Amino acid sequence: MGLLLVLGYLALGASAQTWCGKNYMATEPIVPPGGLFPTPATSKTPLLALRCAPAIRPYLADDAKTASDDVAILIDTPVTFSHIANAVPLSLPHFDALAQTSLSVTVRADGKVLTSGKVPLNVTKHELPFKLSTLKPRVQSFNLSCTATLEAQKIETTGSLSFLPDPPADIGSVTKMDLRTGALLARPANGKGGPFAPVFPIGFYTGFDNYLAQDPTIPAQLKAQGLTVVHPIPTFDNLTALELVLDGLQEAGLYLMYDMRFTYMNATAVTEEVNRIKSRPNLLLWYTGDEPDGTSDPLDATVKSSNLIQSLDGGDGQGGAGYHPVSLVLNCENYFYTQYASGADIVMQDTYMIGNNVTFSSQWGTSCTPDYGDCGCDNCKGNFQDISTRMDEFRERNFINGWELTKAVWTVPQGFGNDTYWKRFPTGQEWVVQSVVGINHGGLGVVSWDDPTTSDIQSSASTLAKSLVKMTPFILSPAATFRQVTVNLVDVGLWTVGGKTLVLATNTNYFTASVSLKQLGLPSLQPLTEQVLDTGAKIDQFKGVITLDSVGTGGFIVSA
């Protein structure tokens, strides 16, 4: 992003002198950009917004041969007073009876009963098991119809289930999404086989011509740092060099995030690229629009591209899954979110708030408001809460749209500086704060712009990446219960699995701060605490207090 923002402005020419729909040059008038996400109307009576989706996307033919407990339909039954997607009036004799009320739910695939059961009201991701062997794998997704009854009331919704044949010879890997958590499931990136396992993608958008193509030892170095994914930055004009780099990433055991930012609206180019890359055993996911909301790309561009990619990658091209998910990044705080996010399984946000003036543009000499200007961080306040706010907004919009089961959100920490609006690089500790704030607010991947970066950021990224080995079993566990708590601007995520809780705390203050386990609802005495991440944090296990340095972060496994 960075310099690419300015290059994008210049390339677009006079016909598109906007960013996030806003005029930003001093010679241009203030014109409201539009594109705001609509606020749902409120209701005086309770509404039910029934949702359903498979636990895994896609299922494969081999999955029908196992007795895995991940073969299920997930049912959401949120009760709300807002007219969100598919919300209908709910007949309850007394609202106090909500907790004791269950729905009778029946799920059909292409009209055939797949599963049924009782589902409580106001729950999320309630699992109704089914037998995958009752279906036959095919490219076309199955249409799900989910019907809930409550006394005489009947409520219906729809979804889709992808049950694909085992991949053909020209498909080198499969990445599933565990819709119970939003996590990716993949086999080892080295292509030597192995079971599907959760992957927490952590890495960088990584220079290609200026970095990866220059030194064949770089993939091994990145792997040694604990990174799991590499996102090479196009263009890839030298295909021989690209093949050598991708071979090196696979040999090192690094997953590939393949970027088509400059070609994703060109069907011919996308077809060529997907057909060239899809045989890679380490391909984890596709990436299309790079800030398409910033450049005001056509509103249907991301959906068209995603459908084309999935049609080439084993799917039906009509919204059903292929063998790899599709991702994109959105830069704007609130500009045609639904239209652009429709074209992705994974929506990333890149809120860059370090080292820039977010209210007055040093580049253009204008103020920045919700209707005007560009300061490099859209509608930001200039603190770490810009990241948590953006993450929360994206996740809330997904819920309003009925996408909470089918889309994941990732975070893009700022790893650059001395560029356009950003007058300095983040410190390594600030980089970790950005990343952990994103994780604590639902981020299931951390891919930073950009590498090469400072040695301080590289070292801190390595520290976080290596700590994820012990944190991932909590963060990506379908059995985990999660809470996010903020105490004195210390942002804390808590994942509980069995009798243990991962406490991931990051200090967004530029001074020392502390938080007690009691404030987090945990037992105060923790004689068996294990610290798994330390970039400036410690715990007094007997006083039950976590103390964090200025922009310090710590991860601890404690008794629940």
Side-chain angles (χ1 to χ4, degrees), residues 258 260 266-277 312:
Y258 187 76
M260 292 179 279
N266 182 324
T268 300
V270 167
T271 300
E272 292 175 354
E273 290 185 78
V274 171
N275 285 337
R276 182 169 61 245
I277 298 298
L312 299 166

Side-chain angles (χ1 to χ4, degrees), residues 406-445:
T406 57
K407 294 187 188 295
V409 181
W410 291 8
T411 192
V412 182
Q414 178 185 339
F416 67 94
N418 300 336
D419 186 3
T420 319
Y421 311 102
W422 304 275
K423 304 308 179 185
R424 69 172 179 89
F425 278 79
T427 66
Q429 284 184 305
E430 288 174 322
W431 189 93
V432 173
V433 173
Q434 294 178 80
S435 301
V436 171
V437 166
I439 294 169
N440 286 350
H441 290 263
L444 297 172

Side-chain angles (χ1 to χ4, degrees), residues 492-549:
V492 187
L494 302 106
W495 293 261
T496 299
V497 179
K500 299 289 185 181
T501 295
L502 169 65
V503 180
L504 186 53
T506 189
N507 184 10
T508 67
N509 300 290
Y510 284 89
F511 51 81
T512 300
S514 62
V515 58
S516 70
L517 295 180
K518 184 178 180 180
Q519 289 174 301
L520 303 178
L522 294 168
S524 295
L525 296 179
Q526 292 286 337
L528 300 178
T529 296
E530 178 184 6
Q531 184 161 2
V532 294
L533 172 63
D534 180 7
T535 61
K538 60 184 179 181
I539 186 170
D540 186 321
Q541 300 177 59
F542 299 101
K543 292 183 179 178
V545 175
I546 298 172
T547 302
L548 302 107
D549 297 342

